[in-house]
Amino acid sequence: MNTTGSAGKGLRLIPFRGLRYVPERVGSLAAVTSPPYDVVVRPDGLHHLESADPHNIVRLILPQAATAADRHRQAAETLRRWLAEGVLAPDAEPALYVYEQRNGDLLQRGVIGALALSTPDEGVVLPHEDVMPDIVEDRAALMRETATNLEPLLLTYRGEGSATGTTAVIERAVRRKPLLSTTTEDGFSHRLWSVTDPAELAEINKDLADRQALIADGHHRWATYLRLREEHPPSAAGPWAYGLVLLVDTARYPLQVRAIHRLLHRLPVADALAALRSVPGSPGAFRVRTLDGKLPEALEALAEAVTGGGAGDGPRNAFLLAGDGRFHLVDRPDAALLARTVPAGRPAEWRALDATVLHFTLLDHIWKIPDAPDHISYIHDTQAVVDQAERHGSTAVLLHPVREEVVRELARQAVTMPRKSTSFGPKPATGLVLRSLVDG
């Protein structure tokens, strides 16, 4: 994203006193970090993180208790205890933080700070996915209790691709000694630097003043920020008028785009396939083929069906079903069926999305599954969603990633995609730096 639609209204990123783990009080920095809350595969991933270190950040972002209110209170009490015990401590002065992630040839760098909040119609920070109100309410209740931004959102903007402005500050900072350096079990190394020099802060401020950002990851948390800002009158909003984000210039450091898969808890694969083969009024609604081979080969077939497909001018939507020990490729939907089930009045790019067809044609019309946590889980990892489906006799629906240019174009048109349509990454590790809303 280059510039905003109105002069003088761009990104405003301000320094803050980061809350960070005190290395001497924990086993290791790697052992106290976590993926973002919605990437943790529960319960396996949750238990693994809890056992990694008694101070793992997952105890704050995904506290475990009998009720939601108890969970949120428990997180707040845990945070207060860790602060009192010196497990977490605020930095001495406000700073912006340069953050680097590296894994082999993959390198991502950006800057973490407190971003002035704006609504989508202001055209400064653009969402590209819908959100679920119950998740926003849960995150809002947790943030109210803890009075802390526990993990940064991932936002992207498009710079010039050269080492100027914010990128110049970042690339100078990485030549200095980092505040912290650690390598997590996924093989990613993480480094963090503080930027406190007034001239460098001014350089960043000037560079971002006419930028426009896309929410790459964290739509529910951004909606949470906006809700909590509304609860505080402008005269008293103070720190609640800002939210913790990581900003990445994708012209300099391109992100990866992956799909987010669905786990349909109450639908066995046999029932899913039977429903596809007997759609009222649409014989042959989809082509269904059982594939030979393992997951990598099945994913290759899915990619070919979406990007090559050999389907002529017809729709190229395709999905991979798993859960019965085999893989079933579902593709070539009937155009007339899509015309009846996918809402009109939206751009052609939106109507052609796999996530759109999945939710309106498959989930709503054919399988009649409500989009609720009891019925659907959203899982990023392909092997994890297949394993869970096979373990519980449910159905995994694997999707192919959306192209980044499609996401950006829809966001420019203020058209949101079905929620959990994309997974941009690498995502920032949770636990490296937090932002207190009490500290200002």
Side-chain angles (χ1 to χ4, degrees):
M1 296 290 177
N2 293 318
T3 59
T4 65
S6 57
K9 292 203 69 176
L11 302 171
R12 183 172 177 237
L13 196 68
I14 67 169
F16 67 102
R17 293 178 67 206
L19 282 180
R20 296 191 295 113
Y21 280 100
V22 177
E24 296 78 14
R25 300 303 307 272
V26 298
S28 72
L29 288 175
V32 295
T33 63
S34 164
Y37 80 98
D38 58 337
V39 181
V40 177
V41 179
R42 291 181 264 189
D44 296 358
L46 181 63
H47 294 158
H48 174 71
L49 292 165
E50 286 180 330
S51 63
D53 189 284
H55 301 109
N56 189 283
I57 194 69
V58 77
R59 297 181 186 275
L60 301 184
I61 63 172
L62 288 173
Q64 300 300 295
T67 68
D70 287 343
R71 290 195 297 272
H72 304 144
R73 281 193 295 269
Q74 178 175 295
E77 291 168 1
T78 300
L79 177 58
R80 284 192 291 269
R81 185 173 69 254
W82 290 357
L83 289 167
E85 294 173 351
V87 174
L88 287 167
D91 284 335
E93 58 181 321
L96 296 179
Y97 297 87
V98 168
Y99 176 47
E100 176 190 275
Q101 294 165 276
R102 187 190 293 268
N103 189 354
D105 294 333
L106 195 159
L107 174 65
Q108 178 174 290
R109 290 171 176 159
V111 60
I112 295 174
L115 184 67
L117 304 180
S118 60
T119 57
D121 58 6
E122 294 176 69
V124 179
V125 176
L126 303 181
H128 69 269
E129 288 184 357
D130 295 328
V131 298
M132 290 192 71
D134 60 323
I135 297 178
V136 175
E137 178 51 44
D138 180 74
R139 292 290 104 184
L142 177 63
M143 202 175 297
R144 285 190 205 100
E145 284 284 346
T146 60
T148 302
N149 295 157
L150 298 171
E151 47 188 338
L153 284 65
L154 176 59
L155 271 61
T156 72
Y157 68 98
R158 298 289 292 180
E160 284 70 43
S162 57
T164 59
T166 303
T167 299
V169 175
I170 289 172
E171 296 186 6
R172 287 197 301 270
V174 299
R175 296 196 290 266
R176 304 195 290 260
K177 182 180 179 180
L179 291 175
L180 64 85
S181 178
T182 190
T183 300
T184 45
E185 64 180 4
D186 58 4
F188 274 89
S189 66
H190 307 262
R191 297 197 293 171
L192 195 74
W193 297 261
S194 64
V195 177
T196 58
D197 179 78
E200 290 192 322
L201 294 174
E203 193 173 353
I204 292 173
N205 186 59
K206 180 180 179 181
D207 178 50
L208 297 178
D210 64 351
R211 301 289 185 193
Q212 184 182 57
L214 174 76
I215 300 176
D217 186 68
H219 285 80
H220 287 91
R221 284 166 284 165
W222 184 259
T224 296
Y225 289 165
L226 293 176
R227 173 178 293 193
L228 294 175
R229 183 185 67 167
E230 291 174 0
E231 295 176 4
H232 295 79
S235 60
W240 298 92
Y242 298 81
L244 184 64
V245 306
L246 166 64
L247 272 174
V248 174
D249 175 4
T250 54
R252 189 72 168 180
Y253 299 105
L255 296 182
Q256 296 179 327
V257 186
R258 293 190 173 95
I260 303 177
H261 312 293
R262 276 61 171 164
L263 179 65
L264 311 181
H265 298 294
R266 303 181 183 181
L267 182 68
V269 173
D271 293 351
L273 295 174
L276 288 172
R277 294 183 174 114
S278 59
V279 180
S282 297
F286 285 85
R287 182 175 67 168
V288 180
R289 290 176 289 158
T290 299
L291 305 177
D292 296 323
K294 297 186 181 299
L295 180 58
E297 291 78 18
L299 290 172
E300 287 180 8
L302 174 63
E304 173 62 20
V306 172
T307 60
D313 295 328
R316 286 188 172 175
N317 306 104
F319 312 92
L320 198 62
L321 306 191
D324 62 352
R326 297 178 294 176
F327 296 99
H328 310 273
L329 184 63
V330 176
D331 67 349
R332 299 192 186 183
D334 175 53
L337 174 64
L338 299 187
R340 293 200 312 272
T341 56
V342 175
R346 297 286 190 97
E349 298 94 336
W350 181 89
R351 301 186 80 247
L353 291 170
D354 287 337
T356 299
V357 173
L358 171 61
H359 279 263
F360 289 96
T361 304
L362 289 172
L363 295 176
D364 291 353
H365 181 74
I366 297 178
W367 293 330
K368 303 187 186 308
I369 295 176
D371 191 359
D374 287 348
H375 293 269
I376 305 176
S377 290
Y378 294 81
I379 298 177
H380 294 70
D381 184 82
T382 52
Q383 190 63 61
V385 72
V386 171
D387 290 345
Q388 289 210 30
E390 291 181 349
R391 186 179 308 151
H392 301 291
S394 51
T395 295
V397 183
L398 280 65
L399 290 86
H400 188 69
V402 181
R403 290 179 292 114
E404 183 176 357
E405 54 267 32
V406 173
V407 177
R408 291 186 179 279
E409 181 54 35
L410 288 173
R412 287 191 183 101
Q413 297 177 53
V415 176
T416 55
M417 300 163 65
R419 71 185 192 91
K420 302 295 184 183
S421 295
T422 59
S423 175
F424 284 84
K427 303 178 190 303
T430 299
L432 296 180
V433 61
L434 290 63
R435 173 178 174 255
S436 171
L437 293 159
V438 176
D439 193 41

